[in-house]
């Protein structure tokens, strides 16, 4: 049940996507998000989905994982879609009318577009964490943000916090599972009962979870100090990131794909 | 005597139907008689924890059946809580499940979930605390102020307070100092003796199993390798060693003695028994020398 959450998990591999320079992956992912929201026509969205599918295929990540990571946020997607469905007003006659609820053609279009967008967004960002180990990813984040260090922003510390947070997601999920089992063994009603009963039933799970999270944080801080960790200043790296020809080539291909997707805007307007 | 827990062709596959499915239990059939003290041993990943999680329905069998008190626990999934109260389960490191503001309230969590009245809850909490050696003045303290061993005892008392007919403990002594280990295990043994509750104890320590259990279940590679009385299992020491398990240290000494050419029994697993065997062997030797 809880094990289905795959956000932030890493699936090691040696595909092109896996070995691509993480900074480029990060950049491409961010651009992808921007492009997703700028491509406001079905053709552009379809193209961005195709691009995503191609990347997943190249990374050899089974598509089953996408459905699994989407499952927990499905309610959010459904909620957004339904809101859009009712709140977008169109120029033409409403398709459906019930008291004050009116659904226009534009509403349906926009709701579908939005749902697909959010799904693509999750799947796209998941690909980044699936193919990049948290350690490498933070390294990339740190490098990309390093200019901000001049403004006295603690870039290294922020990156380290992110790594630790990512690293502990699976651990805490496992811990939650264990605690839930222990409380279920004592007769706690975690999977049935009314809403208030269920919320109350969470207390015996959340308290031990918080305590254990604090304990882990404490132990981790101690372990880091024991290994003489003292922040990012003057820290050198074992593996220095380097962009090779292949990395630049991949970036070029992705940028070309983005340009293509964005060009559909003009195309769509001409057609319409 | 009737079987209180029985598994019939129990198979469990994690992630059944997915490409990364792993089989954790394969066709496990065995039965525990009411009132037994069964030790469960097996190397890491042999399926011990998966097996015991089936006894109170924390896991559902992929195929096969689990019977508690002669009833299939999954006959009606809505009734599963009834079996959870019947089979008390103490997980590994149970002190991490404590959450209430006082020791008393934490021990009362299980009985309260059973829907008992206040007087009965009070009786059970006090009885369980006494069994686990928790002093009465600790009951009003916060469980988080206690030491590791004391917390462990509170957690075990929390399960005992449900007064289950079967008590399953997954390494209740892990991570405790030798004295804490002995105290907790002998309290459990004492509880077993006084209440007649069936106890299933998972442990990595052969010494503990030898000292406290009547029967031993040896798990190996998702299956049951042996299930017999303690002396019979430890008599098969070479096989145990082959499974990557060890035998109690006394047994090792006797095996060595046999190897050195002494005519001596090797199914020895506790100290008092060892003393008797040595004395008997000496007697025999004297008799031979006397002739």
């Amino acid at each position: 049940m809880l094990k289905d959450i795959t956000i932030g998990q890493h699936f090691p591999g040696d595909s092109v996507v896996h070995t691509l320079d993480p900074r480029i992956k990060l950049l491409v992912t961010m651009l992808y998000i921007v492009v997703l929201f700028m491509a406001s026509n079905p053709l552009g969205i379809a193209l961005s989905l195709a691009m995503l599918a191609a990347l997943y295929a190249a990374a050899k990540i089974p598509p089953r994982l996408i459905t699994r990571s989407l499952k927990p946020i499905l309610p959010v997607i459904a909620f957004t879609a339904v809101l859009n469905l009712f709140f977008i007003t169109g120029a033409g006659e409403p398709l459906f009318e019930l008291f004050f609820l009116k659904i226009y053609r534009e509403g349906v279009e926009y709701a579908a577009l939005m749902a697909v967008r959010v799904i693509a967004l999750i799947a796209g960002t998941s690909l980044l964490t699936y193919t990049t180990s948290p350690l490498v990813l933070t390294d990339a984040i740190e490098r990309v943000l390093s200019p901000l260090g001049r403004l006295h922003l603690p870039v290294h510390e922020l990156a380290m916090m992110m790594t630790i947070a990512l690293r502990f997601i699976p651990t805490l999920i496992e811990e939650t599972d264990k605690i839930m089992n222990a409380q279920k063994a004592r007769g706690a009603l975690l999977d049935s009962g009314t809403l208030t009963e269920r919320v109350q039933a969470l207390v015996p799970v959340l308290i031990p979870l918080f305590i254990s999270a604090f304990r882990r944080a404490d132990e981790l801080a101690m372990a880091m100090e024991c290994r003489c960790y003292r922040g990012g200043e003057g820290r050198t790296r074992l593996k220095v990131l380097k962009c090779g020809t292949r990395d630049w080539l991949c970036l070029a291909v992705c940028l070309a794909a983005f340009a293509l997707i964005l060009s559909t805007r003009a195309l769509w307007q001409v057609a319409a | 005597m009737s079987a209180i827990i029985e598994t019939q062709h129990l198979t469990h596959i994690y992630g059944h139907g997915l490409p990364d499915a792993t089989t954790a239990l394969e066709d496990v059939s065995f039965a525990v008689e009411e009132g037994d003290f069964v030790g469960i041993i097996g190397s890491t990943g042999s399926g011990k924890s998966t097996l015991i999680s089936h006894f109170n329905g924390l896991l559902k069998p992929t195929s096969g059946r689990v019977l508690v008190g002669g009833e299939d626990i999954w006959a009606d999934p809505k009734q599963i809580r009834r079996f959870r109260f019947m089979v008390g389960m103490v997980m590994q490191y149970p002190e991490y499940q404590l959450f209430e503001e006082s020791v008393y309230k934490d021990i009362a969590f299980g009985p309260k979930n059973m829907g008992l009245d206040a007087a009965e809850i009070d009786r059970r909490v006090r009885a369980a605390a006494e069994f686990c050696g928790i002093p009465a003045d600790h009951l009003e303290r916060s469980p988080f102020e206690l030491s590791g061993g004391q917390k462990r005892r509170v957690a075990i008392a929390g399960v005992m307070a449900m007064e289950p007919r079967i008590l399953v403990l997954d390494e209740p002594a892990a991570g405790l100092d030798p004295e804490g280990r002995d105290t907790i295990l002998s309290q459990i043994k004492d509880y077993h003796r006084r209440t007649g509750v069936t106890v299933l104890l998972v442990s990595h320590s052969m010494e503990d199993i030898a000292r406290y259990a009547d029967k031993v279940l040896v798990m190996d590679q998702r299956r049951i390798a042996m299930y017999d009385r303690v002396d019979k299992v430890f008599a098969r020491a070479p096989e145990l060693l082959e499974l990557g398990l060890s035998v109690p240290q006394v047994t090792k000494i006797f095996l060595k003695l046999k190897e050195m050419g002494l005519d001596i029994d090797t199914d020895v697993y506790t100290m008092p028994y060892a003393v008797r065997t040595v004395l008997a062997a000496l007697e025999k030797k004297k008799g031979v020398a006397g002739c």
Side-chain angles (χ1 to χ4, degrees):
Chain A
M1 167 181 54
L2 277 170
K3 292 207 174 78
D4 290 342
I5 303 172
T6 50
I7 297 171
Q9 258 183 39
H10 175 225
F11 294 91
D14 52 6
S15 71
V16 189
V17 186
H18 280 89
T19 48
L20 189 65
D21 189 293
R23 285 169 295 182
I24 289 184
K25 272 195 263 187
L26 199 64
L27 186 72
V28 167
T29 310
M30 286 202 271
L31 284 177
Y32 184 74
I33 297 170
V34 175
V35 166
L36 260 183
F37 281 86
M38 282 176 72
S40 48
N41 56 71
L43 184 61
I45 294 285
L47 276 178
S48 23
L49 280 180
M51 180 184 175
L52 194 64
L55 284 173
Y56 262 87
K60 298 196 186 76
I61 298 279
R64 175 178 52 83
L65 278 179
I66 310 175
T67 45
R68 226 166 53 166
S69 63
L70 279 176
K71 224 194 288 171
I73 53 150
L74 220 53
V76 180
I77 297 173
F79 186 70
T80 331
V82 169
L83 270 191
N84 278 316
L85 200 57
F86 290 114
F87 280 92
I88 301 288
T89 46
E93 277 294 297
L95 292 176
F96 171 84
E97 212 172 337
L98 183 76
F99 306 120
F100 59 95
L101 293 172
K102 290 191 184 84
I103 297 177
Y104 293 89
R105 201 174 64 87
E106 283 85 346
V108 178
E109 271 173 19
Y110 197 78
L113 214 61
M114 205 60 192
V116 174
R117 242 181 214 160
V118 175
I119 290 170
L121 181 78
I122 302 286
T125 42
S126 298
L127 185 63
L128 178 69
T129 51
Y130 285 161
T131 59
T132 323
S133 85
L135 213 67
V136 175
L137 189 61
T138 357
D139 199 4
I141 293 171
E142 197 181 334
R143 282 313 186 79
V144 171
L145 295 181
S146 62
L148 294 175
R150 297 221 184 94
L151 302 172
H152 298 289
L153 204 77
V155 175
H156 170 82
E157 281 71 14
L158 285 174
M160 183 55 90
M161 281 196 275
M162 264 199 271
T163 322
I164 293 173
L166 280 175
R167 155 70 185 75
F168 275 94
I169 291 173
T171 313
L172 287 178
I173 288 174
E174 203 178 299
E175 187 98 15
T176 315
D177 233 19
K178 267 191 205 158
I179 296 170
M180 280 171 80
N181 272 342
Q183 307 301 21
K184 269 198 246 168
R186 293 207 279 168
L189 283 167
L190 292 174
D191 23 32
S192 50
T194 64
L195 190 65
T196 32
E197 270 174 353
R198 282 195 207 196
V199 171
Q200 275 170 356
L202 277 181
V203 174
V205 176
L206 287 180
I207 291 178
L209 189 65
F210 266 89
I211 289 170
S212 116
F214 281 121
R215 184 175 46 82
R216 274 180 201 284
D218 208 34
E219 281 168 6
L220 183 70
M222 187 82 84
M224 284 169 81
E225 277 192 357
C226 285
R227 290 195 241 167
C228 304
Y229 178 80
R230 51 173 183 75
E233 210 179 311
R235 216 174 147 79
T236 56
R237 311 196 163 273
L238 181 63
K239 285 179 187 150
V240 180
L241 293 175
K242 267 197 194 115
C243 271
T245 329
R246 212 187 52 168
D247 296 310
W248 291 119
L249 213 66
C250 287
L251 180 64
V253 170
C254 288
L255 288 180
F258 289 149
L260 184 70
I261 294 167
L262 288 183
S263 70
T264 59
R265 274 166 72 94
L267 217 74
W268 199 260
Q269 260 157 18
V270 171
Chain B
M1 288 266 226
S2 60
I4 182 122
I5 292 188
E6 194 180 348
T7 67
Q8 294 172 346
H9 308 288
L10 175 63
T11 297
H12 192 89
I13 302 169
Y14 285 110
H16 186 53
L18 297 175
D20 58 349
T22 42
T23 310
L25 282 179
E26 229 177 310
D27 196 23
V28 170
S29 301
F30 83 112
V32 177
E33 302 282 301
E34 176 133 43
D36 270 357
F37 195 123
V38 180
I40 301 176
I41 52 178
S43 43
T44 317
S46 58
K48 290 171 296 187
S49 295
T50 310
L51 177 66
I52 60 168
S53 301
H54 279 92
F55 296 154
N56 69 345
L58 285 178
L59 287 178
K60 200 174 176 179
T62 308
S63 69
R65 297 206 301 165
V66 180
L67 307 174
V68 171
E71 288 177 78
D72 185 346
I73 64 169
W74 287 103
D76 178 9
K78 282 192 187 120
Q79 291 284 310
I80 198 70
R81 230 154 69 105
R82 195 159 62 86
F83 293 100
R84 296 216 171 121
F85 295 134
M86 225 157 113
V87 184
M89 170 90 73
V90 179
M91 308 280 216
Q92 261 177 44
Y93 298 99
E95 57 272 32
Y96 297 143
Q97 75 192 31
L98 301 176
F99 69 98
E100 278 285 12
E101 54 203 274
S102 75
V103 170
Y104 183 95
K105 279 191 185 170
D106 211 288
I107 301 177
F109 180 65
K112 220 188 222 165
N113 283 331
M114 296 172 81
L116 300 169
D117 60 70
E120 178 65 11
I121 292 176
D122 187 69
R123 183 192 69 75
R124 289 186 173 205
V125 170
R126 287 181 197 283
E130 203 194 315
F131 258 124
C132 293
I134 301 162
D137 63 311
H138 275 31
L139 287 178
E140 293 313 315
R141 282 172 68 177
S142 158
F144 303 110
E145 296 170 5
L146 305 177
S147 73
Q150 286 170 322
K151 276 189 204 164
R152 179 86 49 103
R153 257 173 260 185
V154 172
I156 296 177
V159 174
M160 277 185 186
M162 302 195 304
E163 300 195 347
R165 277 172 68 191
I166 304 133
L167 189 61
V168 185
L169 302 114
D170 195 351
E171 298 215 44
L176 295 182
D177 58 38
E179 204 196 320
R181 264 189 106 77
D182 283 350
T183 325
I184 281 197
L185 291 173
S186 24
Q187 273 157 356
I188 292 165
K189 182 75 186 174
D190 193 40
Y191 178 75
H192 166 73
R193 217 176 274 138
R194 282 176 34 198
T195 57
V197 161
T198 312
V199 177
L200 278 84
L201 174 78
V202 176
S203 177
H204 274 299
S205 157
M206 301 298 146
E207 264 77 20
D208 291 347
I209 299 276
R211 263 178 75 184
Y212 298 108
D214 312 319
K215 277 183 153 187
V216 188
L217 178 81
V218 183
M219 295 286 299
D220 180 55
Q221 312 222 333
R222 313 178 287 277
R223 290 166 185 276
I224 291 179
M226 297 176 209
Y227 178 48
D228 215 329
R229 286 207 339 255
V230 178
D231 54 335
K232 288 196 177 149
V233 167
F234 285 128
R236 294 161 73 181
E239 286 170 67
L240 284 175
L241 293 171
E242 220 163 87
L243 295 180
L245 300 166
S246 81
V247 290
Q249 278 175 2
V250 258
T251 316
K252 273 189 202 157
I253 293 174
F254 277 74
L255 280 170
K256 201 84 192 167
L257 286 173
K258 180 103 175 174
E259 213 176 277
M260 286 162 69
L262 265 178
D263 178 26
I264 206 161
D265 290 333
T266 53
D267 60 346
V268 174
Y269 57 89
T270 59
M271 264 317 175
Y273 192 25
V275 172
R276 255 182 289 143
T277 314
V278 169
L279 286 177
L282 276 176
E283 204 67 30
K284 213 160 52 172
K285 210 174 164 188
K286 241 190 254 167
V288 172
C291 280

